[in-house]
Amino acid sequence: MYNRDCMTNAIENVEDILLDSLEILGTERVEDPGCIQYGDLVLTIAPKNQTNFALFVFVDTQEGKANTLLADHLFSPALLLAERIERGLVEVAGRSIIELGAGCALPSLLAATLSEPPRLVVVTDYPDDVILGNLRSTVERNKKHFRPPCVVRCQGYEWGKDASSLLHLSENPDGSRGYDVVIMSDLLHFHSSHNALIHSLSSLLVKTPRARVYVAAGTYTPRAVRQNFLDMGSRIGLVWESDSGTSGQGNEDEDKEDIEAASLWLGTRVIAGIDATQLGVRKGMCRWWVGRWHFPDIKGAVDGITVV
């Protein structure tokens, strides 16, 4: 059992910490509106007033720890990944994409609007009526912008659980299953969720040389927590490229000029209510990694996680 009031306060504190990380130019605080427009896409976030601030608490009875799903904000890593997709730095044409913990699903839905779109986009989030209802509404609202022959699906999925239904959606004409691209935007906050994330990633990312997982996290997620996830991925056979061009934790030791250069916003689509300076600051507060399978290193099981 747990004290609901205490957990609610803890959740609100997490939210405050993350939002405080988005302060820009002195005391200006960046608040995400309920509706976000990125180019032609109109996205909504799960409403706070219907879902205990849309922050869901799950108590692990074995570990006595609580995880939260932060579904009521467009966090900066989603903007970073969207910018990279817009710039053609993420290979999506003709591929199958799945986004875990999608929230408003900006990166994956943006991919569906490109002139050379994926063949399939599946957006997933925790199977809650409010979260999924918002996500389905977002998909329906924007379907006129999706380029054929891209098919966009929405499905509830809890990390670490059986992924058979998602794999069924990914089935190729030759009968093989698995996704060419897995998108994970701002999912690394909680150390205790990493086992489940790695299990899902292992199940969903197809075992081919071209398969890629794109991971982005805010610097408000502690370095050690981010590194834990990367280390777990390495142990199941993933090789990481980071924003510094090397495997490992990224460019946090770069000098100020390098960081400022990397923080320039290079997207061209108009984002309502956020100017280029703000976008650059938000981008600079993120780190990204691209993972691929190194086939000789794929193991059968690591820390109780079976690689399938």
Side-chain angles (χ1 to χ4, degrees):
M1 295 294 292
Y2 65 96
N3 185 299
R4 183 180 183 86
D5 291 337
C6 289
M7 290 307 305
T8 299
N9 291 335
I11 292 166
E12 291 173 353
N13 289 338
V14 170
E15 180 190 33
D16 286 339
I17 290 169
L18 296 180
L19 284 179
D20 285 340
S21 298
L22 303 180
E23 287 185 359
I24 293 173
L25 303 178
T27 60
E28 182 180 353
R29 181 180 172 96
V30 177
E31 298 283 0
D32 287 320
C35 182
I36 302 104
Q37 185 164 354
Y38 190 114
D40 292 330
L41 290 172
V42 178
L43 313 169
T44 54
I45 55 180
K48 289 184 178 184
N49 59 354
Q50 295 183 30
T51 62
N52 189 28
F53 299 98
L55 304 176
F56 292 83
V57 184
F58 305 98
V59 174
D60 185 328
T61 56
Q62 294 181 340
E63 296 184 358
K65 297 178 180 179
N67 291 335
T68 60
L69 299 181
L70 303 169
D72 65 335
H73 292 287
L74 173 66
F75 286 115
S76 300
L79 289 167
L80 169 67
L81 290 175
E83 187 225 45
R84 295 186 64 77
I85 289 170
E86 186 183 346
R87 294 169 59 199
L89 300 177
V90 176
E91 184 183 356
V92 301
R95 312 194 83 193
S96 57
I97 296 177
I98 187 167
E99 183 170 357
L100 300 178
C104 62
L106 170 58
S108 49
L109 295 187
L110 179 64
T113 71
L114 299 179
S115 58
E116 295 185 74
R119 68 172 181 85
L120 173 68
V121 169
V122 178
V123 293
T124 74
D125 213 325
Y126 188 80
D128 169 85
D129 289 343
V130 173
I131 290 180
L132 278 186
N134 177 70
L135 188 53
R136 290 190 177 109
S137 295
T138 294
V139 170
E140 181 67 19
R141 183 185 313 110
N142 291 285
K143 67 180 183 180
K144 62 185 176 183
H145 303 301
F146 303 152
R147 297 289 188 94
C150 184
V151 175
V152 179
R153 304 285 189 226
C154 178
Q155 186 161 323
Y157 177 66
E158 183 177 353
W159 309 333
K161 302 298 185 183
D162 178 52
S164 298
S165 61
L166 297 175
L167 291 169
H168 177 73
L169 292 175
S170 74
E171 187 166 344
N172 296 302
D174 63 2
S176 63
R177 295 181 175 183
Y179 291 86
D180 301 310
V181 174
V182 175
I183 294 175
M184 303 175 68
S185 174
D186 215 30
L187 305 185
L188 307 188
H189 306 298
F190 304 105
H191 191 288
S192 59
S193 69
H194 290 180
N195 276 346
L197 283 170
I198 289 292
H199 178 85
S200 295
L201 177 58
S202 171
S203 299
L204 293 166
L205 186 64
V206 68
K207 306 302 187 294
T208 65
R210 292 180 59 207
R212 295 290 186 272
V213 53
Y214 295 89
V215 180
T219 53
Y220 42 75
T221 300
R223 179 189 298 216
V225 176
R226 302 194 303 263
Q227 190 64 52
N228 179 72
F229 176 83
L230 297 174
D231 290 344
M232 292 182 69
S234 297
R235 291 200 294 272
I236 64 167
L238 287 170
V239 175
W240 299 103
E241 172 193 354
S242 75
D243 47 11
S244 63
T246 60
S247 62
Q249 192 52 48
N251 65 356
E252 282 140 285
D253 294 328
E254 291 179 349
D255 63 36
K256 182 178 179 182
E257 290 184 1
D258 289 338
I259 293 173
E260 288 178 349
S263 300
L264 293 175
W265 183 260
L266 301 176
T268 59
R269 301 195 185 194
V270 175
I271 305 172
I274 312 178
D275 64 29
T277 299
Q278 292 174 327
L279 288 166
V281 172
R282 295 184 75 155
K283 176 183 174 182
M285 295 172 61
C286 301
R287 298 292 175 263
W288 60 261
W289 302 267
V290 182
R292 60 178 173 82
W293 293 117
H294 182 52
F295 288 96
D297 287 346
I298 295 179
K299 308 298 194 303
V302 176
D303 295 340
I305 302 169
T306 302
V307 182
V308 294

